[in-house]
Amino acid sequence: IGLVVAVFLFVVVVKFSEKPCFQLLTLLGQGISGWWSFSQQPHEAFQAGHPGYVSVPKQEPLKLQCDVCSVVSSSGQILGREAAPEIDHASCVWRMNNAPIRGFERDVGSRTDLRVVSHTSVPLLVQKPQHFFGRRGNETAYVVWGPLRNMRGDGKGVVYNMLRQAAENYPHARIYITTEERMNYCDTMFKKETGKDRIQSGSYLSTGWFTLILAMDVCKEIRVYGMINNTYCRSEGYRKVPYHYYEAGSRDECAEYLLHESAPYGGHRFITEKAVFAKWAKTHLIKFFYPEWQLS
């Protein structure tokens, strides 16, 4: 029996050793429970839920299962692409922060199954609570990430208090927060992939970072729309677009990316993150469209 168990564990290690999620589980203190949720069959993992994300205020794990996920970037790159049929054809459609649908349906699609939201964008959602949380038949799940100081549930977390109030006003709303352990996991992945400590390097992770990490846990195939790669902004004749597709005339996307990449403190390392995404796409079923990425 001992020999059989040893061989089984060896096979599992070999099979998953190339996957970033597996490499880091033991570093994050998730132990056997974290490995078990990762290695289960999709149906079993769905039943167990994803322990890194808990509901407000009940603290129940997120349960979400998707075959093909359309992850829609908020970038102006999606404008004029008329990608709605491709996006909506997926089993799950994911969006970020408060990116709207109305008025952009032809390019970004017409439904939302999940929104990954930064703690800094929560005030924008609670300004329109009926639109985001209160519409009849709304099945959208909201996953909110943020530091413990804002997300703590002891009454001192400003963002958590906003979300708890929204959950009380709209009891059918599906609102989840990223646990402290999961936040640490995402920081550790950044250091693992870039060699830089996020805090010491003055970096802020983007909502795209948290979205791709969650998608690799949930989705069998990930199709990302409207996201540029890490070399795009330094290529000749690149397409100049607004930073957000719903902010016409706003700052140029590449100008924003380059500014953040070189900021000594408090910058989103968008370009660095895109290089990591390209690496992940070699070991996960991740594809990028509009523009399409050429992965070596």
Side-chain angles (χ1 to χ4, degrees):
I1 294 174
L3 178 61
V4 170
V5 171
V7 172
F8 171 77
L9 291 177
F10 175 78
V11 171
V12 170
V13 169
V14 171
K15 180 177 181 180
F16 292 107
S17 61
E18 294 300 317
K19 296 181 180 293
C21 291
F22 183 83
Q23 291 173 344
L24 295 168
L25 288 175
T26 55
L27 296 177
L28 303 168
Q30 293 186 3
I32 295 298
S33 62
W35 171 83
W36 176 247
S37 65
F38 179 80
S39 62
Q40 288 173 353
Q41 295 299 318
H43 178 72
E44 294 171 333
F46 171 74
Q47 294 297 327
H50 304 281
Y53 311 89
V54 294
S55 65
V56 177
K58 296 182 179 181
Q59 300 291 294
E60 297 174 343
L62 171 69
K63 293 185 178 181
L64 185 66
Q65 181 180 2
C66 302
D67 289 329
V68 179
C69 292
S70 288
V71 176
V72 184
S73 167
S74 298
S75 165
Q77 294 289 340
I78 200 67
L79 291 173
R81 304 291 194 173
E82 298 187 359
E86 301 172 47
I87 291 171
D88 286 339
H89 184 69
S91 49
C92 296
V93 178
W94 293 26
R95 305 187 190 278
M96 304 180 205
N97 296 318
N98 62 316
I101 294 175
R102 184 175 301 174
F104 303 95
E105 292 89 345
R106 181 176 295 181
D107 292 325
V108 305
S110 59
R111 48 178 258 260
T112 305
D113 299 289
L114 182 138
R115 279 186 186 271
V116 181
V117 182
S118 165
H119 60 110
T120 59
S121 293
V122 170
L124 300 177
L125 269 60
V126 298
Q127 286 178 5
K128 300 179 180 179
Q130 180 63 34
H131 172 76
F132 286 106
F133 305 121
R135 289 184 296 173
R136 185 183 299 274
N138 182 13
E139 295 298 327
T140 302
Y142 295 82
V143 172
V144 182
W145 66 270
L148 178 62
R149 66 179 183 274
N150 291 336
M151 310 303 292
R152 56 194 298 176
D154 60 0
K156 298 180 180 179
V158 176
V159 174
Y160 184 88
N161 291 343
M162 294 181 186
L163 297 173
R164 182 168 53 191
Q165 186 62 53
E168 291 177 0
N169 295 339
Y170 304 97
H172 297 293
R174 301 171 60 199
I175 304 173
Y176 299 83
I177 61 170
T178 303
T179 64
E180 183 181 9
E181 292 77 16
R182 193 63 169 178
M183 292 294 295
N184 292 336
Y185 171 81
C186 293
D187 276 354
T188 303
M189 286 196 73
F190 183 82
K191 186 173 183 178
K192 170 70 176 181
E193 298 291 2
T194 67
K196 298 179 180 180
D197 182 272
R198 183 191 66 79
I199 297 177
Q200 293 179 0
S201 64
S203 304
Y204 288 157
L205 298 177
S206 74
T207 301
W209 181 267
F210 290 94
T211 301
L212 262 292
I213 287 177
L214 176 57
M216 287 191 293
D217 281 349
V218 172
C219 313
K220 294 181 180 178
E221 178 180 348
I222 305 167
R223 301 172 66 88
V224 184
Y225 293 88
M227 181 181 289
I228 60 175
N229 64 23
N230 61 302
T231 63
Y232 184 88
C233 291
R234 292 186 172 88
S235 61
E236 293 185 7
Y238 70 82
R239 186 185 186 213
K240 291 188 176 183
V241 298
Y243 177 54
H244 290 148
Y245 68 79
Y246 48 90
E247 295 177 341
S250 65
R251 55 199 184 277
D252 173 69
E253 178 181 58
C254 279
E256 188 75 10
Y257 278 23
L258 294 171
L259 177 65
H260 273 270
E261 194 71 19
S262 60
Y265 178 77
H268 290 298
R269 311 308 183 191
F270 294 115
I271 296 174
T272 297
E273 289 184 5
K274 302 301 186 289
V276 175
F277 296 166
K279 179 181 178 182
W280 289 347
K282 296 178 181 180
T283 54
H284 293 75
L285 191 53
I286 307 174
K287 300 177 181 178
F288 300 87
F289 304 92
Y290 309 116
E292 186 173 348
W293 292 23
Q294 299 298 325
L295 301 172
S296 59

